[in-house]
Amino acid sequence: MHRSLWLGCALCAWIWVYSPAASSERVQGQRQGLAPQEGLSLPPAKGRAPFHLELRLKQAPFRDAPQDAPHVIVHASSHFRADRPFTLVVFFHGWSGCTRVLAYLGKEARCTPSMPPAPGWGLLERHERAGLPSLLIVPQLAWRKRETKTGRFREASYLRAFLRELRDILRAETGQEIDLEAAPRSVWLAHSAGYAPLRDLLEQDTPLPGTSQDVVLFDALYEDAAVFARWLRTPGAHKRLVSFYTSDATTQAQNRALAERLRRAKVELSFEDRELESPFPCASPLVIRRSRVGHGRVALTYFSPLLRALGGCEPGET
């Protein structure tokens, strides 16, 4: 493990956002719906957006989460409609993560009811703020560990099984047919060590959903720049890669290596050592920018504005 990754991920453990579950109920056999803490502004699914669900899965990417913690949190924005085109958004967390810490706003959220409270990220509200017709999925990776592991995402057929199980649960919980594999657009975001499961997905023959695909790395390109470059150049969907780096020497070097690979391949790119500008450079398949904030806050800072900017790019504009 790179020393810079260890230090960066140690810092991000101080800024989690999450909310405890007040109670739980069984949902279809091995699945379990976990009711959010009272007072949250985002109610459980009632068949119409916005809604969010905390779920236990038969085919979880990792099996080490305790029984009173979700394997995944799903959030539909208020602009989402199951019978209209939508964007699938998937977020992979870094070390020491738990889905509730990532998902909820508040200073006293808990990964489980028995764990100590901490402030967190509020990804559900940041997702809502982006203003897109989108569905956010936040899977639980290695439970509260300082490890860069990919779990079942390294398996060639797992992504399809994961999305189909979620489809079945959403049908049962909302009464709507939400085919995640048929989403016309998908955005895949990774913070820090979350690059590892995303890298493994990009190496597989199974394509990501959508005819328009965006991959976003929040100070997460620690190695394997060649994998991301190869994915971007592989024909098929309209693809875009956005990568932020900080003062970390490793992610700086890897982003430069990525840019050089694609420059030699004659891929149009936008690599500037400055803050991400507005309007977003939609015409560039590769966009690399320096973050104006440190490693622990990069995902929090850019999550909403970047999703909004990507939503403003026409499919095929790259």
Side-chain angles (χ1 to χ4, degrees):
M1 173 58 62
H2 298 287
R3 177 177 174 80
S4 54
L5 175 57
W6 191 96
L7 291 172
C9 290
L11 287 172
C12 42
W14 290 93
I15 36 183
W16 297 116
V17 146
Y18 53 129
S19 174
S23 62
S24 64
E25 59 182 297
R26 301 298 298 171
V27 179
Q28 294 192 356
Q30 294 300 312
R31 306 183 189 112
Q32 188 176 30
L34 301 163
Q37 183 182 5
E38 224 177 78
L40 288 177
S41 60
L42 299 164
K46 297 296 182 185
R48 299 182 64 183
F51 65 75
H52 78 272
L53 291 168
E54 298 184 342
L55 302 169
R56 299 280 295 183
L57 304 179
K58 290 180 179 178
Q59 300 193 69
F62 286 80
R63 301 300 306 180
D64 56 350
Q67 285 296 311
D68 52 355
H71 290 137
V72 63
I73 293 179
V74 179
H75 174 244
S77 76
S78 61
H79 303 276
F80 173 84
R81 298 292 181 273
D83 58 349
R84 298 179 188 175
F86 68 92
T87 298
L88 176 66
V89 181
V90 182
F91 183 88
F92 294 109
H93 66 76
W95 283 0
S96 302
C98 85
T99 54
R100 291 197 184 109
V101 172
L102 293 158
Y104 301 123
L105 280 174
K107 294 183 178 179
E108 299 209 356
R110 304 171 193 268
C111 292
T112 69
S114 63
M115 293 184 70
W121 294 41
L123 288 186
L124 273 58
E125 293 205 15
R126 294 175 194 276
H127 176 231
E128 177 65 29
R129 222 176 291 159
L132 301 181
S134 51
L135 194 78
L136 171 65
I137 297 174
V138 184
Q140 177 65 55
L141 303 181
W143 175 259
R144 304 293 293 164
K145 290 186 174 69
R146 297 177 181 275
E147 296 177 353
T148 305
K149 290 186 175 180
T150 61
R152 295 195 61 191
F153 285 111
R154 67 180 178 273
E155 300 174 16
S157 61
Y158 178 68
L159 178 62
R160 182 177 290 115
F162 175 74
L163 294 177
R164 289 181 180 179
E165 183 173 5
L166 287 177
R167 176 201 63 193
D168 294 344
I169 297 174
L170 290 171
R171 182 194 299 123
E173 289 295 297
T174 71
Q176 302 177 86
E177 189 65 32
I178 305 172
D179 189 349
L180 305 179
E181 294 178 274
R185 305 185 72 157
S186 63
V187 182
W188 303 77
L189 310 102
H191 176 240
S192 196
Y195 82 91
L198 183 51
R199 172 205 60 203
D200 284 5
L201 287 176
L202 299 185
E203 281 193 297
Q204 297 168 13
D205 294 331
T206 303
L208 301 178
T211 56
S212 180
Q213 302 168 4
D214 295 293
V215 164
V216 179
L217 301 174
F218 292 120
D219 203 29
L221 190 57
Y222 287 98
E223 58 187 358
D224 296 320
V227 173
F228 293 91
R230 186 164 54 249
W231 169 80
L232 193 61
R233 294 184 61 200
T234 302
H238 300 294
K239 298 176 180 178
R240 182 182 291 104
L241 175 57
V242 182
S243 183
F244 292 91
Y245 65 93
T246 61
S247 57
D248 180 88
T250 302
T251 57
Q252 283 190 28
Q254 285 291 309
N255 275 283
R256 290 193 167 87
L258 173 64
E260 184 55 34
R261 277 178 177 274
L262 292 171
R263 193 176 282 119
R264 290 198 303 266
K266 311 274 188 225
V267 173
E268 183 178 347
L269 58 91
S270 176
F271 184 1
E272 299 186 30
D273 189 20
R274 63 182 175 88
E275 168 75 350
L276 185 67
E277 71 276 24
S278 180
F280 182 83
C282 291
S284 298
L286 175 64
V287 178
I288 300 176
R289 291 292 185 273
R290 176 189 284 274
S291 169
R292 63 181 168 83
V293 296
H295 179 83
R297 296 199 62 81
V298 61
L300 295 177
T301 300
Y302 294 104
F303 187 90
S304 293
L306 185 59
L307 279 182
R308 191 180 308 116
L310 292 174
C313 295
E314 292 297 324
E317 195 168 347
T318 56

